[in-house]
Structures are given as structure tokens and as C-alpha cells.
Amino acid sequence: MARAVPRLFLVRHGETEWSRNGRHTGRTDICLTPRGEEQVKSQATGLGPIDPKNICTALVSPRIRAHKTFHLLFEHLPEFPDHLITEEVREWDYGEYEGLVRHEIVARDPGWDIWKSGWV
């Protein structure tokens, strides 16, 4: 039998207060909103191409929003897939821009571009 081709899936956490308000959230540890939890739960049984029994290891950011998202996605299974909570997959560090919305950042730094200067 041919081996399956390894694949990488990236899963974004559900809504937080800051994501709902457009605030840049990196290292600040913010919980999911009730709506964010429902967003994740609604996807849990319809993960499309992700078959939980074929997950070798899930890498999970230590931020509570990411960890909660992982658990909500797989809580319906008899056991969770193997996972590793690691800073290696943490969110961006926005430094002094953490918690600000775009127009507040641009007011401080008119040349700001998220892809060039969006992290520390």
C-alpha cells in the first residue's frame, strides 16, 4: 500500500475580543469569545481533508486561544491527537503595536506595512 503524502494544515483560532475589534494580537494571551468557541465547535466534525486518526503530531501555540481551539476541535473524539504545545508556532510579536488597530499604528508610523514591519 502506498504511503500517504505528508501534509501540513494550519488552523486559525476562533474569534477573540481583539480579533473582533481589529486589534493586532500576538503574544497577549486572550481567550476566545463565546462566538469564537462556537465557530470552532461548528467546524469540529467537518474538518474536510483532516482525518484526526492520521494526525502524527499537532503543533499548538501556548496561547490560550490556540490551545482552546485545538481542544474544541477534537473534544468529540475518544482521545486527542498527539500534540505539542510550543512557542515555535506562536503568534507574531507586534511589539509596541500589540493591541492597536491599524489606524493607530499608521498614526505612529505612516510607513508601516504589516508584511515588512509588522513584527519584532
Side-chain angles (χ1 to χ4, degrees):
M1 174 184 268
R3 292 178 57 137
V5 175
R7 296 184 285 174
L8 172 68
F9 295 98
L10 300 176
V11 177
R12 190 178 189 316
H13 60 77
E15 179 189 77
T16 67
E17 284 296 327
W18 280 16
S19 66
R20 181 171 60 190
N21 296 321
R23 298 196 177 283
H24 286 74
T25 315
R27 291 192 164 213
T28 303
D29 210 5
I30 298 176
C31 297
L32 298 175
T33 62
R35 180 174 182 249
E37 289 189 16
E38 288 305 315
Q39 288 171 330
V40 175
K41 288 177 185 177
S42 73
Q43 299 300 313
T45 56
L47 292 173
I50 303 174
D51 183 347
K53 72 177 185 287
N54 291 331
I55 295 175
C56 294
T57 303
L59 302 175
V60 182
S61 164
R63 301 304 169 263
I64 196 165
R65 60 190 176 271
H67 198 232
K68 181 73 171 181
T69 294
F70 172 80
H71 279 84
L72 290 172
L73 277 176
F74 299 110
E75 69 183 0
H76 67 284
L77 299 175
E79 60 184 50
F80 289 105
D82 286 339
H83 63 289
L84 175 64
I85 299 169
T86 175
E87 285 285 337
E88 296 299 317
V89 294
R90 67 161 172 78
E91 290 78 350
W92 292 22
D93 182 350
Y94 287 102
E96 64 187 57
Y97 303 138
E98 184 83 3
L100 301 180
V101 294
R102 186 181 186 287
H103 75 270
E104 292 171 323
I105 298 170
V106 171
R108 289 182 181 190
D109 180 2
W112 180 79
D113 179 315
I114 193 169
W115 300 111
K116 296 178 183 167
S117 53
W119 69 91
V120 178

Short mmCIF file of all heavy atoms in Angstrom, two decimals, residues 2-3 5 11 13 15-17 21 23 27-28 33 36 38 50 56 67 75-76 94 96-97 99 102:
data_model
loop_
_atom_site.label_atom_id
_atom_site.label_comp_id
_atom_site.label_asym_id
_atom_site.label_seq_id
_atom_site.Cartn_x
_atom_site.Cartn_y
_atom_site.Cartn_z
N ALA A 2 0.57 2.20 -0.82
CA ALA A 2 1.34 3.44 -0.91
C ALA A 2 1.13 4.28 0.35
O ALA A 2 0.03 4.31 0.91
CB ALA A 2 0.91 4.23 -2.13
N ARG A 3 2.19 4.93 0.77
CA ARG A 3 2.10 5.80 1.94
C ARG A 3 1.43 7.10 1.55
O ARG A 3 1.59 7.60 0.44
CB ARG A 3 3.49 6.09 2.48
CG ARG A 3 4.15 4.88 3.08
CD ARG A 3 5.53 5.23 3.56
NE ARG A 3 5.45 6.33 4.52
CZ ARG A 3 6.14 6.39 5.64
NH1 ARG A 3 6.97 5.43 5.94
NH2 ARG A 3 6.03 7.41 6.44
N VAL A 5 0.83 11.01 1.34
CA VAL A 5 1.73 12.15 1.19
C VAL A 5 1.59 13.03 2.43
O VAL A 5 0.47 13.37 2.82
CB VAL A 5 1.36 12.96 -0.08
CG1 VAL A 5 2.21 14.21 -0.17
CG2 VAL A 5 1.51 12.11 -1.32
N VAL A 11 -4.45 25.84 11.21
CA VAL A 11 -5.79 26.12 11.71
C VAL A 11 -5.71 27.39 12.55
O VAL A 11 -4.90 27.49 13.46
CB VAL A 11 -6.31 24.95 12.58
CG1 VAL A 11 -7.68 25.27 13.15
CG2 VAL A 11 -6.35 23.66 11.75
N HIS A 13 -7.26 30.12 15.18
CA HIS A 13 -8.17 30.10 16.34
C HIS A 13 -9.46 30.84 16.01
O HIS A 13 -9.55 31.60 15.05
CB HIS A 13 -7.48 30.72 17.56
CG HIS A 13 -7.06 32.15 17.36
ND1 HIS A 13 -7.94 33.21 17.40
CD2 HIS A 13 -5.85 32.67 17.11
CE1 HIS A 13 -7.29 34.33 17.20
NE2 HIS A 13 -6.01 34.03 17.01
N GLU A 15 -12.73 33.47 17.11
CA GLU A 15 -12.77 34.89 17.42
C GLU A 15 -12.36 35.20 18.86
O GLU A 15 -12.71 34.48 19.79
CB GLU A 15 -14.20 35.40 17.19
CG GLU A 15 -14.39 36.87 17.51
CD GLU A 15 -15.84 37.25 17.49
OE1 GLU A 15 -16.57 36.94 18.46
OE2 GLU A 15 -16.26 37.88 16.49
N THR A 16 -11.61 36.29 19.02
CA THR A 16 -11.32 36.86 20.33
C THR A 16 -11.87 38.28 20.34
O THR A 16 -12.24 38.82 19.29
CB THR A 16 -9.79 36.92 20.61
OG1 THR A 16 -9.20 37.87 19.70
CG2 THR A 16 -9.13 35.56 20.47
N GLU A 17 -11.89 38.91 21.50
CA GLU A 17 -12.33 40.32 21.56
C GLU A 17 -11.47 41.18 20.66
O GLU A 17 -11.97 42.05 19.95
CB GLU A 17 -12.28 40.85 23.00
CG GLU A 17 -13.40 40.37 23.88
CD GLU A 17 -14.78 40.85 23.44
OE1 GLU A 17 -14.92 41.97 22.90
OE2 GLU A 17 -15.74 40.09 23.64
N ASN A 21 -12.38 43.29 17.15
CA ASN A 21 -12.20 44.74 17.09
C ASN A 21 -11.07 45.18 16.17
O ASN A 21 -10.77 46.36 16.09
CB ASN A 21 -11.94 45.29 18.50
CG ASN A 21 -13.13 45.07 19.40
OD1 ASN A 21 -14.27 45.20 18.98
ND2 ASN A 21 -12.88 44.72 20.65
N ARG A 23 -7.88 44.54 16.51
CA ARG A 23 -6.63 44.82 17.22
C ARG A 23 -5.58 43.76 16.89
O ARG A 23 -5.90 42.59 16.78
CB ARG A 23 -6.88 44.86 18.73
CG ARG A 23 -7.82 45.97 19.08
CD ARG A 23 -7.82 46.31 20.55
NE ARG A 23 -8.71 47.42 20.80
CZ ARG A 23 -8.44 48.70 20.54
NH1 ARG A 23 -7.27 49.03 20.04
NH2 ARG A 23 -9.32 49.65 20.77
N ARG A 27 1.42 38.16 21.19
CA ARG A 27 1.76 37.43 22.42
C ARG A 27 0.77 37.63 23.55
O ARG A 27 0.81 36.89 24.53
CB ARG A 27 3.15 37.81 22.87
CG ARG A 27 4.19 37.28 21.92
CD ARG A 27 5.55 37.39 22.50
NE ARG A 27 6.43 36.54 21.71
CZ ARG A 27 7.45 35.90 22.20
NH1 ARG A 27 7.73 36.00 23.47
NH2 ARG A 27 8.20 35.16 21.43
N THR A 28 -0.09 38.63 23.48
CA THR A 28 -1.07 38.83 24.54
C THR A 28 -1.99 37.61 24.58
O THR A 28 -2.50 37.17 23.56
CB THR A 28 -1.89 40.11 24.30
OG1 THR A 28 -0.98 41.21 24.19
CG2 THR A 28 -2.86 40.37 25.42
N THR A 33 -13.89 34.33 22.43
CA THR A 33 -15.21 34.79 22.83
C THR A 33 -16.16 33.60 22.76
O THR A 33 -15.83 32.57 22.14
CB THR A 33 -15.73 35.89 21.87
OG1 THR A 33 -15.84 35.31 20.56
CG2 THR A 33 -14.83 37.11 21.85
N GLY A 36 -16.42 32.80 19.29
CA GLY A 36 -15.23 32.12 18.82
C GLY A 36 -15.27 30.63 19.14
O GLY A 36 -14.88 29.80 18.31
N GLU A 38 -17.97 28.86 19.52
CA GLU A 38 -18.98 28.26 18.64
C GLU A 38 -18.45 28.10 17.21
O GLU A 38 -18.76 27.13 16.54
CB GLU A 38 -20.27 29.09 18.65
CG GLU A 38 -21.05 28.98 19.94
CD GLU A 38 -21.38 27.53 20.32
OE1 GLU A 38 -21.82 26.74 19.44
OE2 GLU A 38 -21.18 27.17 21.49
N ILE A 50 -8.89 16.83 6.87
CA ILE A 50 -8.15 16.44 8.07
C ILE A 50 -8.84 15.26 8.74
O ILE A 50 -9.93 15.38 9.28
CB ILE A 50 -8.04 17.61 9.07
CG1 ILE A 50 -7.39 18.83 8.43
CG2 ILE A 50 -7.25 17.17 10.30
CD1 ILE A 50 -7.38 20.06 9.31
N CYS A 56 -0.14 12.99 12.84
CA CYS A 56 1.04 12.49 13.56
C CYS A 56 1.24 13.30 14.83
O CYS A 56 1.26 12.76 15.92
CB CYS A 56 2.28 12.59 12.68
SG CYS A 56 2.23 11.50 11.25
N HIS A 67 -4.75 26.96 22.18
CA HIS A 67 -4.89 25.71 22.92
C HIS A 67 -6.37 25.33 23.03
O HIS A 67 -6.75 24.16 22.84
CB HIS A 67 -4.23 25.87 24.29
CG HIS A 67 -3.94 24.58 24.96
ND1 HIS A 67 -4.33 24.33 26.23
CD2 HIS A 67 -3.30 23.47 24.52
CE1 HIS A 67 -3.95 23.10 26.56
NE2 HIS A 67 -3.32 22.57 25.55
N GLU A 75 -12.54 17.55 20.84
CA GLU A 75 -13.16 17.05 22.07
C GLU A 75 -14.20 15.96 21.82
O GLU A 75 -14.53 15.19 22.73
CB GLU A 75 -13.77 18.19 22.89
CG GLU A 75 -14.99 18.83 22.26
CD GLU A 75 -15.53 20.00 23.08
OE1 GLU A 75 -14.95 20.32 24.14
OE2 GLU A 75 -16.52 20.60 22.65
N HIS A 76 -14.71 15.86 20.61
CA HIS A 76 -15.72 14.85 20.29
C HIS A 76 -15.11 13.46 20.04
O HIS A 76 -15.83 12.49 19.93
CB HIS A 76 -16.53 15.29 19.06
CG HIS A 76 -15.71 15.34 17.80
ND1 HIS A 76 -14.82 16.35 17.54
CD2 HIS A 76 -15.65 14.49 16.75
CE1 HIS A 76 -14.25 16.13 16.37
NE2 HIS A 76 -14.73 15.00 15.87
N TYR A 94 3.96 41.67 17.92
CA TYR A 94 3.78 43.00 17.34
C TYR A 94 4.50 44.09 18.13
O TYR A 94 4.45 45.26 17.76
CB TYR A 94 2.29 43.34 17.23
CG TYR A 94 1.60 42.58 16.14
CD1 TYR A 94 0.81 41.47 16.43
CD2 TYR A 94 1.73 42.97 14.81
CE1 TYR A 94 0.18 40.77 15.43
CE2 TYR A 94 1.09 42.26 13.81
CZ TYR A 94 0.32 41.17 14.12
OH TYR A 94 -0.30 40.47 13.13
N GLU A 96 5.48 47.07 20.16
CA GLU A 96 4.74 48.27 20.59
C GLU A 96 3.39 48.43 19.89
O GLU A 96 2.57 49.25 20.30
CB GLU A 96 5.59 49.53 20.39
CG GLU A 96 5.90 49.81 18.93
CD GLU A 96 6.88 50.96 18.74
OE1 GLU A 96 7.98 50.87 19.30
OE2 GLU A 96 6.51 51.92 18.05
N TYR A 97 3.16 47.66 18.84
CA TYR A 97 1.88 47.74 18.13
C TYR A 97 0.84 46.76 18.67
O TYR A 97 -0.30 46.75 18.22
CB TYR A 97 2.08 47.46 16.64
CG TYR A 97 3.07 48.38 15.97
CD1 TYR A 97 4.00 47.90 15.06
CD2 TYR A 97 3.08 49.75 16.25
CE1 TYR A 97 4.91 48.74 14.45
CE2 TYR A 97 3.99 50.59 15.64
CZ TYR A 97 4.90 50.08 14.73
OH TYR A 97 5.79 50.91 14.13
N GLY A 99 -2.08 45.19 20.42
CA GLY A 99 -3.33 45.73 20.94
C GLY A 99 -3.86 46.94 20.20
O GLY A 99 -4.95 47.42 20.50
N ARG A 102 -5.15 49.19 13.12
CA ARG A 102 -4.29 49.67 12.03
C ARG A 102 -4.14 51.19 12.02
O ARG A 102 -3.03 51.71 11.89
CB ARG A 102 -4.83 49.19 10.68
CG ARG A 102 -3.91 49.53 9.54
CD ARG A 102 -4.46 49.07 8.19
NE ARG A 102 -3.49 49.29 7.15
CZ ARG A 102 -3.18 50.49 6.64
NH1 ARG A 102 -3.77 51.58 7.09
NH2 ARG A 102 -2.29 50.60 5.68
#
